[in-house]
Amino acid sequence: MASKNPPRYRNDRSIRRQRYGEHPKSLNVLSLKYFQFFQKVDRVLKNGLIMSLNALTVQTAYPTPESSPPDSISHHPPITVLASSRAIVEGELTAATIVISQLTGKITSIFHSVLPANDFPSGTLYKDHTPNILLPGLVDAHVHLNEPGRTEWEGFWTGTRAAAFGGVTTVVDMPLNAIPPTTTVAGLKEKIQAAQGQCWVDVGFYGGIVPGNSSELKQLVREGVRGFKGFLIDSGVPEFPAVSNHDITQAMTELASESTTLMFHAEMIPPISDSVGDDVQWSLPPLSPIGPLNEYATFLASRPTSFETCAISQIISLAHTAPDLALHIVHLSAIESIPLIRQARQQGVKITAETCFHYLSLAAENIRNGDTRHKCCPPIRARSNQDGLWEEMFRRDSVIKTVVSDHSPCTPNLKLLPPGTSSEKISIDPERASGDFFAAWGGVSSVGLGLSILWTEGRKRGLEIEDVVRWCCKNTAIQVGLEQQKGDLAVGFDGDVVVFDDEAEFEIGVEEMLFRNKCSPYQGKTLTGSVKETWLGGRQVWDQAKGFAKEGPWGRLLLEERRR
């Protein structure tokens, strides 16, 4: 149900001009000489030279530039300049001109106005994107790229191209469903090897916790994983088994003093007695389903909200084992879980949660029988539950800090879609095309579509673009310890920039689904908000008119040891 309050963001162009026009107090008076001084400093830092303040001979706020012809750029490091009357800079909407070093890929200067091209050296790569919005590159902190081992499902090349298409400049790869999973240092190194030269955006990695791998965890931190994930219920793949209380306690003990985040797929079957409460649990079809297995209502009833509340209570009960360790609930679905997390936080437990684009935009009432493209775990719930998630998101003290894709693809045949469910021709054995929600693979494909999905649904509820940046850029960067370089447009941060047209509409067809398998519940839907360009480290990686950069890919693997 839409908010009763009028939207905080309005699309009338006259209002937008009034609200987002040039700021009268903008720093237009900054001269080219001042700008050149900072470029000189940038060049010094890039070359690794050590110079004293005296050597810089700073005497005034406008130092004398190097002697060179005014139209020459031979003495200036190459830069990229992106400007717009609307940009989200350090979380605030403002006019901005953003200067990025092409040598370091870092933002070196930001001016809170639209400076003209002639304020910069001749030949500078300059683009004024007014009235489109400049956003920080999104950080999708929950993506399954599945390589190596299941590259027919997804891969680094296709998954990161899909990300770039949708303004995602950093993805963090989950420890499953690749083979081997990222539960050992050896498994991580295989994944790193598979990713070499294939990434169109920057990529980080999570480690996994499974029974018996606690001795690997500290070294995985040293090798650069951004966090760890475990399941309290069957994961769906045999190489990544669920963990018991004993396994969780061991992992917490090992990671208690580490700069990392321990994350959980929080579903478990509520125990019927203490004697079976800690059994490793398997997710099987109910012995007595309430209806046919191809009806979504039958599947939804088999994964009640008590699965989530029970698992989250279990995790909170163990938090005392490592009181300084950050805990995180992935893909929270049930609103009944929210009070449990809020109470734990009030009691000092360091626990947060994320939700997903599909929980905020899809509702059980609209899922047709047999359309297993919607199957995921935890399941997509009723519209009233969706309204509750949005209500929580807008709270200042919300326990849901981030919104992610949980892109979990598979080959279309594993979805068991009956004929006519999808507009695409999918080759499925007729005997297996049953639309059985219990036998089909669970996972929603949406990497690269999330920004538009969230904007389309959220603007009905009063969403502002600052909210999107907080949930999908800034807070996701914090979640994975990258908040000093990702998730914001600020001096010293990576020059990852998205050019977003907040009014453009487009229909999701095959050309908009750049992930490997074109099987998604969003196919055929019309979305509002389109990414026009994506910039990674000050270089344009994606252009809606021209496609991908011919010299790509140049995405980095983020393997520095986490410090926060």
Side-chain angles (χ1 to χ4, degrees), residues 104-174:
T104 65
K106 300 287 187 180
I107 297 173
T108 59
S109 307
I110 294 179
F111 306 106
H112 290 269
S113 62
V114 177
L115 299 184
N118 59 14
D119 270 13
F120 300 93
S122 175
T124 295
L125 177 55
Y126 174 97
K127 285 195 171 186
D128 181 356
H129 290 286
T130 302
N132 295 325
I133 312 175
L134 301 184
L135 306 177
L138 274 67
V139 178
D140 193 338
H142 194 144
V143 177
H144 294 265
L145 292 175
N146 301 341
E147 188 172 2
R150 289 192 175 95
T151 51
E152 70 275 16
W153 291 15
E154 191 61 275
F156 289 105
W157 183 275
T158 50
T160 59
R161 280 170 74 93
F165 168 87
V168 177
T169 54
T170 304
V171 301
V172 188
D173 181 47
M174 280 290 164

